[in-house]
Amino acid sequence: AISRDRWFSTRCVPTSDGNLAVLSIDITERRRVEERLKSLNEELQTRNLELDAERLKWQRLIEGIADEVWACDAQGKMSLGNLATKTTMGLEEFQGKELDEVLQEVEILRPDGSVRPREEAPLFRSLQGDVVRGEEIMRNKHTGTTCFRQYSSAPIGDAQGNIVGAVAIVRDITELKKAEAEVRRLNEELEERVKQRTAALEQANRE
């Protein structure tokens, strides 16, 4: 409900004839604006605390993401170095399969969503001597499950410098991508609240 109370600023000033004059100015609207700004500040502080809690929650999710370590020999036969790692993609089933077999089971996309050709696969490139870093999107053709992955791949050489295989460290960054999207949303919401507060303050100053 809107308060019916009114606020006045009152002061006494001497007159030329030696008496006092009482000057009174209605400051009700100014007080209402000040109270509204105080309420907006309190709401903003509360929301800031909520945003900090959200960021902390997502940060902990990010820190808990485990890495996969994949390796292949010169013929492309795959092995997963940390079998204790379980992912939503069920990658353990690819243990011992050749890279070509794995690529028949999953579809690999570039970050822009376009299909990545077989010859651009990090382990294939590392078998050619390249050190590769980047991101990819993996989709299981049977289940439709999709995840975002970050990889770093390098060749493995023997004592004579011959490439005998390749190794890749892969991190599932699906939760990271979700967290980044959520943080962007929270930041946009905070910026909007700050704009609203600034506009209210400017309006109050004009009044």
Side-chain angles (χ1 to χ4, degrees):
I2 300 176
S3 172
R4 300 296 181 181
D5 295 335
R6 302 198 68 81
W7 296 82
F8 294 87
S9 174
T10 304
R11 63 190 180 97
C12 295
V13 296
T15 63
S16 58
D17 58 4
N19 294 316
L20 293 175
V22 178
L23 299 179
S24 184
I25 301 174
D26 189 333
I27 60 169
T28 304
E29 289 305 315
R30 189 178 78 185
R31 286 299 299 266
R32 287 175 179 169
V33 170
E34 290 173 348
E35 290 174 356
R36 178 56 181 159
L37 287 176
K38 180 181 178 182
S39 175
L40 286 173
N41 279 326
E42 291 174 349
E43 291 177 8
L44 185 60
Q45 290 174 3
T46 299
R47 187 55 184 159
N48 283 343
L49 292 174
E50 293 173 353
L51 289 171
D52 287 341
E54 284 287 319
R55 290 192 184 102
L56 180 60
K57 181 188 75 173
W58 288 105
Q59 183 63 35
R60 286 175 175 171
L61 281 174
I62 293 170
E63 291 172 352
I65 297 173
D67 291 343
E68 305 159 19
V69 181
W70 288 91
C72 70
D73 59 20
Q75 288 70 48
K77 187 173 183 180
M78 303 278 291
S79 62
L80 178 60
N82 52 342
L83 280 175
T85 298
K86 302 293 183 181
T87 72
T88 56
M89 297 297 293
L91 299 178
E92 311 80 51
E93 69 185 77
F94 300 142
Q95 173 77 0
K97 289 187 177 181
E98 292 187 3
L99 192 51
D100 279 328
E101 292 180 273
V102 174
L103 293 177
Q104 291 175 10
E105 302 289 330
V106 299
E107 183 177 42
I108 304 297
L109 309 175
R110 299 188 182 102
D112 64 3
S114 60
V115 177
R116 188 180 71 193
R118 168 190 177 279
E119 59 270 18
E120 290 183 16
L123 287 176
F124 271 138
R125 290 184 57 186
S126 291
L127 286 176
Q128 304 304 312
D130 294 334
V131 175
V132 188
R133 295 181 179 86
E135 293 183 3
E136 62 185 16
I137 303 171
M138 175 183 281
R139 186 181 69 84
N140 189 308
K141 295 179 180 179
H142 300 295
T143 66
T145 303
T146 300
C147 71
F148 293 84
R149 293 150 58 86
Q150 188 178 68
Y151 59 82
S152 177
S153 178
I156 300 172
D158 61 14
Q160 288 72 43
N162 301 312
I163 296 176
V164 295
V167 62
I169 298 175
V170 182
R171 170 168 290 186
D172 186 329
I173 58 171
T174 305
E175 293 300 324
L176 172 61
K177 292 294 186 181
K178 292 179 181 178
E180 289 175 345
E182 180 65 9
V183 169
R184 284 196 298 270
R185 185 189 69 79
L186 293 171
N187 284 335
E188 290 171 358
E189 181 178 339
L190 178 58
E191 290 174 2
E192 182 60 29
R193 287 177 176 269
V194 170
K195 289 179 182 178
Q196 293 175 0
R197 177 185 160 217
T198 302
L201 181 59
E202 291 175 349
Q203 180 65 30
N205 290 334
R206 286 194 295 269
E207 296 175 354

